[in-house]
Amino acid sequence: MLSLLSAALLASAPALADEESAETCLHTKIWDGYTKGFQVRSQVNTTLGTGEHRVYLITLYAGNQYKFLACGDENSANLDLVVYDAQGNVILTDTSNDREPQVTFTPTQTDTFYLAVYGARLNDSGKKAGVSTAVTFK
């Protein structure tokens, strides 16, 4: 009886965001970057709903080339990456319409920037998506 009740409760529970699959996707991209001379500066996992975002404060050093990467789980239809300067002006944004955005940036001066990852569109807007984001450089 308990197993039937447990099965019924599990079947009605909302699916959880799959941060693990997002991280696995990102690790593939990070390893590919190693062969091109990139190193990982930081990597974080989070969950996002449709229209939600996370913003990360980062100091970027003049002359280094940075590649910002993100991967979303299967519920992610379109993630966006946007880089802002310290005043909040958009420096660049990815133009992809997928769950694996990336942008490359080489700052001309050392300064504080913000990297934002947006859950632009999810396959099921009633659920969250697992998202993994990394800053790499060379």
Side-chain angles (χ1 to χ4, degrees), residues 32-106:
D32 183 53
Y34 285 142
T35 64
K36 297 174 180 139
F38 282 90
Q39 300 176 42
V40 176
R41 175 150 169 211
S42 60
Q43 188 230 323
V44 295
N45 295 333
T46 191
T47 59
L48 293 174
T50 298
E52 292 182 343
H53 65 279
R54 298 292 180 273
V55 179
Y56 305 100
L57 173 72
I58 49 177
T59 299
L60 302 180
Y61 298 94
N64 284 347
Q65 181 182 9
Y66 293 89
K67 187 179 284 190
F68 309 104
L69 310 163
C71 281
D73 68 12
E74 291 294 325
N75 192 36
S76 303
N78 182 25
L79 300 176
D80 290 328
L81 287 175
V82 181
V83 178
Y84 298 90
D85 66 15
Q87 292 72 42
N89 300 307
V90 174
I91 301 296
L92 67 138
T93 185
D94 79 285
T95 57
S96 68
N97 188 20
D98 61 20
R99 65 186 183 116
E100 298 179 15
Q102 66 180 16
V103 292
T104 304
F105 177 58
T106 304

